[in-house]
Amino acid sequence: MVTTTTMTTSIPMGNMTTDPEKQPLPNGPPQTYTSRDGKWKDSYDPEPNAVSQMDLVDDGDENKERGNWSNKADYILSCIGYAVGLGNVWRFPYLAFENGGGAFLIPYIVMLVFAGLPIFLLETSLGQFASQGPIRIWRCLPLFQGIGYTQVIASALVGIYYNCIIAYTLFYLFSSFTSDLPWRTCDNTWNTGDCVDTNSLKNWTGNISDRVSPSEEYWDRYMLSRSAGIGEPVTVKWQLALCLLLAWIVVYFSLIKGIKSSGKVVYFTATFPYVVLLILLIRGVTLEGALEGIKFFIVPKWSQIANAKVWKDAAAQIFFSLSAAWGGLLTLASYNKFKNNTIHDALIVALTNCATSVFAGFVIFSILGHMALKLNLTVPEVAKSGFGLAFVAYPEALTLLPVSPLWAIIFFLMLFTLGLDSQFTIVETVATAICDGWPTLLRQKKWLVMLTISVCCYLLAMPCLTHAGIYHVVLIDSYAGTYPLIIVAIMECIGISYLYGLRRFCKDIAMMAGYQPNYYWQANWAFITPALLTFVLIFSFVFHEDVSYGDYTYPLWAVTLGNLILVFCAIWIPGVAIFWLIVTPGSFWERLRKVTSPTDTWGPHLPQHRDERYANMANPSAGIGAKYTPNDGTKL
């Protein structure tokens, strides 16, 4: 039987023993001496046996309290999986086609260089430096802590409906296990007299814009069973409820051990889509008419470059496709080991994300070109975006291929894995924020936090599974995931550059990477990136259009609800700032100085990584409700 003697101290106690190995760290957090190990350890570190029960940490982890990625590949694949999502396949190709073809790549690359990459590096560097989630990371600047709450709430709202889209892919995936795809003909019970399938199209004399395809009626009348409006009395579609339940079960068991389990799942979910895209591309380019489709995608229309809307669309696409400002990148990076080069990581992930979007464009338009030829239509007449591409146009194109059920299974399995990766990080962002808020109580029970999140999100998603569900999905997507995140990104740049201090931030990065970011990064953080994002925000407000779905216009009460969702996401930014200004003691200017200075708990999580600037740092493991003491406010 092993016995252990412990004694705790909050100050250096070198006079207690002459053995150097038994000395507590000077200027460090409270420590406990254990006779079993014969060494001092941080008194806030969890007991190894307690943590290992859920395998949240292992012997190779540098941070024994929060855990680290098992290896660099886990982190990189998780970032790629988070950034590369459904939008890369169903939004970018159509945007490029609509905004000048190959010419669209110019504003797209410009926005990547001056907006996407800088935000990506800023967030990953912050998260890795302090090993904290999106809320506690703002100990570096308490006045801006509301940014973290906005990120977590926006992620939670998106996580509710995003898994519903994953449930759609499961519905189509299961429906593809048949000898004859159900959306190939108009001979089904849900079809109407307006339906015209590919075999009847040659003899059809009507206007092509009035044609209703079998795939459109399958999506609209069978899978969604869409009602006439968002306010009509509806019931939950039980098939979708079961698909969503399966989706949440997969997400839960993939995240049950946090990054230790999800970091292994992404080896499949992050790489499988590339295998499928390659297979679909090889099949697509061998089809008759594929070249015409690809031409519509890549042939540049140079006149479009002068259009401000093209630049706005490019900035919005690169910003959202990289998943910047959601808090997910910050969360993933918070589990890195301290001496990791975030600059290299940002380049790898961002370039992979953009290359995937272009690659997916070739895949989509090669098939659409073949479809246009077979139906005797033009490519613009068959090209769609979003739900219309993933669940209407492309499924119809697949029916024209030999062994069409096989291609449908491959395609929808790819969409399923693309969505899962993003959902993993969305849920992990919320869970990390909760566990970091109450570390002593919840960190060792992360499985319970994940279970609670999964059950709550599943129940809250019920309106999205009714006959009016698609209206709810579009409403949340239009308001929760747009303006608040652009505002967050602008404030991150301004806060870090001008209040925390750009010089100090660059020194922090140098502690991890070994060198400071060059002037390209610094100029973007301080001037270019916030200016570009401000342009996007203003342009979006000036040319704002109320949410709609196809020809359906939302009623005033639904638009008002959408605006309330937007306000609910963004109100935390000024609300938390006002809270800190009220509860902080001193005159107004003293309070303002304190809440724009890092707290005494800000800095590298582990003592061995702290330089002289953070030598007197307090215990960084304090949770929500702890009293934070501002430091002297000096900007180094």
Side-chain angles (χ1 to χ4, degrees), residues 178-414:
T178 177
S179 59
D180 189 17
L181 293 176
W183 55 85
R184 187 181 68 84
T185 69
C186 297
D187 300 330
N188 304 287
T189 57
W190 57 82
N191 292 125
T192 66
D194 297 326
C195 180
V196 181
D197 60 30
T198 55
N199 294 326
S200 305
L201 189 60
K202 296 177 182 178
N203 302 321
W204 194 58
T205 57
N207 191 326
I208 190 61
S209 61
D210 297 329
R211 182 221 176 198
V212 180
S213 67
S215 61
E216 186 174 351
E217 290 202 339
Y218 181 84
W219 159 256
D220 221 21
R221 294 179 55 83
Y222 180 66
M223 197 205 76
L224 294 178
S225 300
R226 181 165 65 96
S227 63
I230 190 172
E232 292 193 3
V234 289
T235 56
V236 172
K237 191 172 177 63
W238 65 267
Q239 297 95 327
L240 286 179
L242 290 178
C243 289
L244 181 62
L245 178 62
L246 177 58
W248 273 114
I249 290 173
V250 173
V251 170
Y252 171 69
F253 281 103
S254 298
L255 293 172
I256 191 170
K257 296 180 181 178
I259 60 168
K260 295 300 183 183
S261 53
S262 66
K264 298 298 179 284
V265 175
V266 293
Y267 279 86
F268 171 74
T269 56
T271 57
F272 179 75
Y274 291 96
V275 176
V276 174
L277 285 173
L278 181 60
I279 293 173
L280 290 175
L281 178 64
I282 294 172
R283 184 66 184 103
V285 296
T286 60
L287 296 171
E288 189 180 6
L291 184 59
E292 288 302 312
I294 293 174
K295 282 182 180 178
F296 272 92
F297 174 57
I298 64 172
V299 172
K301 303 177 185 67
W302 298 111
S303 60
Q304 290 282 68
I305 294 183
N307 188 343
K309 179 180 179 299
V310 173
W311 290 84
K312 174 260 180 184
D313 286 346
Q317 175 62 20
I318 194 64
F319 179 74
F320 291 113
S321 69
L322 281 176
S323 301
W326 288 91
L329 296 173
L330 194 153
T331 299
L332 294 176
S334 72
Y335 294 102
N336 276 338
K337 293 183 178 180
F338 188 78
K339 296 293 184 178
N340 175 64
N341 194 320
T342 54
I343 300 175
H344 291 169
D345 297 342
L347 294 172
I348 292 171
V349 176
L351 294 177
T352 300
N353 175 71
C354 294
T356 303
S357 296
V358 177
F359 186 50
F362 283 95
V363 174
I364 297 298
F365 275 90
S366 63
I367 299 290
L368 292 182
H370 175 67
M371 176 183 175
L373 178 68
K374 285 288 187 179
L375 301 181
N376 197 27
L377 303 172
T378 63
V379 175
E381 287 175 326
V382 299
K384 296 180 183 293
S385 178
F387 294 118
L389 173 63
F391 299 111
V392 177
Y394 208 83
E396 182 179 15
L398 293 176
T399 64
L400 303 175
L401 302 179
V403 200
S404 54
L406 174 62
W407 296 109
I409 291 170
I410 292 174
F411 176 71
F412 289 112
L413 186 58
M414 178 193 71

Side-chain angles (χ1 to χ4, degrees), residues 308-620:
K309 179 180 179 299
V310 173
W311 290 84
K312 174 260 180 184
D313 286 346
Q317 175 62 20
I318 194 64
F319 179 74
F320 291 113
S321 69
L322 281 176
S323 301
W326 288 91
L329 296 173
L330 194 153
T331 299
L332 294 176
S334 72
Y335 294 102
N336 276 338
K337 293 183 178 180
F338 188 78
K339 296 293 184 178
N340 175 64
N341 194 320
T342 54
I343 300 175
H344 291 169
D345 297 342
L347 294 172
I348 292 171
V349 176
L351 294 177
T352 300
N353 175 71
C354 294
T356 303
S357 296
V358 177
F359 186 50
F362 283 95
V363 174
I364 297 298
F365 275 90
S366 63
I367 299 290
L368 292 182
H370 175 67
M371 176 183 175
L373 178 68
K374 285 288 187 179
L375 301 181
N376 197 27
L377 303 172
T378 63
V379 175
E381 287 175 326
V382 299
K384 296 180 183 293
S385 178
F387 294 118
L389 173 63
F391 299 111
V392 177
Y394 208 83
E396 182 179 15
L398 293 176
T399 64
L400 303 175
L401 302 179
V403 200
S404 54
L406 174 62
W407 296 109
I409 291 170
I410 292 174
F411 176 71
F412 289 112
L413 186 58
M414 178 193 71
L415 291 185
F416 175 63
T417 55
L418 276 173
L420 272 183
D421 288 328
S422 299
Q423 185 71 1
F424 288 163
T425 304
I426 290 171
V427 177
E428 181 64 50
T429 300
V430 178
T432 295
I434 294 173
C435 291
D436 281 351
W438 294 272
T440 305
L441 179 64
L442 297 177
R443 187 161 285 150
Q444 297 177 37
K445 299 178 181 178
K446 197 165 187 178
W447 65 272
L448 183 58
V449 175
M450 289 294 183
L451 180 61
T452 303
I453 292 173
S454 300
V455 171
C456 290
C457 287
Y458 177 76
L459 296 176
L460 290 172
M462 286 298 112
C464 299
L465 304 178
T466 64
H467 301 301
I470 191 65
Y471 301 123
H472 294 281
V473 169
V474 172
L475 184 70
I476 302 173
D477 179 55
S478 300
Y479 288 96
T482 51
Y483 300 118
L485 282 307
I486 300 176
I487 295 171
V488 161
I490 295 171
M491 295 193 66
E492 283 181 336
C493 290
I494 293 174
I496 294 300
S497 298
Y498 298 104
L499 296 178
Y500 181 73
L502 192 58
R503 182 183 175 190
R504 177 174 190 152
F505 184 54
C506 290
K507 285 185 177 181
D508 292 343
I509 294 178
M511 291 171 63
M512 300 181 291
Y515 58 92
Q516 293 192 20
N518 57 36
Y519 289 116
Y520 155 75
W521 299 105
Q522 297 181 42
N524 275 294
W525 289 327
F527 308 108
I528 302 173
T529 301
L532 281 175
L533 293 177
T534 301
F535 155 73
V536 173
L537 184 64
I538 294 174
F539 192 96
S540 299
F541 271 124
V542 171
F543 295 95
H544 172 75
E545 296 180 358
D546 286 338
V547 60
S548 62
Y549 176 75
D551 296 331
Y552 176 74
T553 301
Y554 282 70
L556 179 60
W557 70 265
V559 174
T560 303
L561 178 61
N563 286 314
L564 289 176
I565 292 174
L566 190 157
V567 171
F568 178 66
C569 289
I571 195 67
W572 299 90
I573 297 175
V576 174
I578 293 171
F579 168 79
W580 281 116
L581 283 171
I582 292 175
V583 301
T584 302
S587 65
F588 174 78
W589 293 111
E590 288 175 340
R591 283 179 280 169
L592 186 62
R593 181 188 66 80
K594 291 176 181 178
V595 298
T596 54
S597 302
T599 70
D600 61 350
T601 54
W602 166 253
H605 196 279
L606 301 179
Q608 62 265 34
H609 297 140
R610 301 169 192 165
D611 61 12
E612 64 279 1
R613 295 180 301 151
Y614 299 100
N616 296 319
M617 177 181 164
N619 178 5

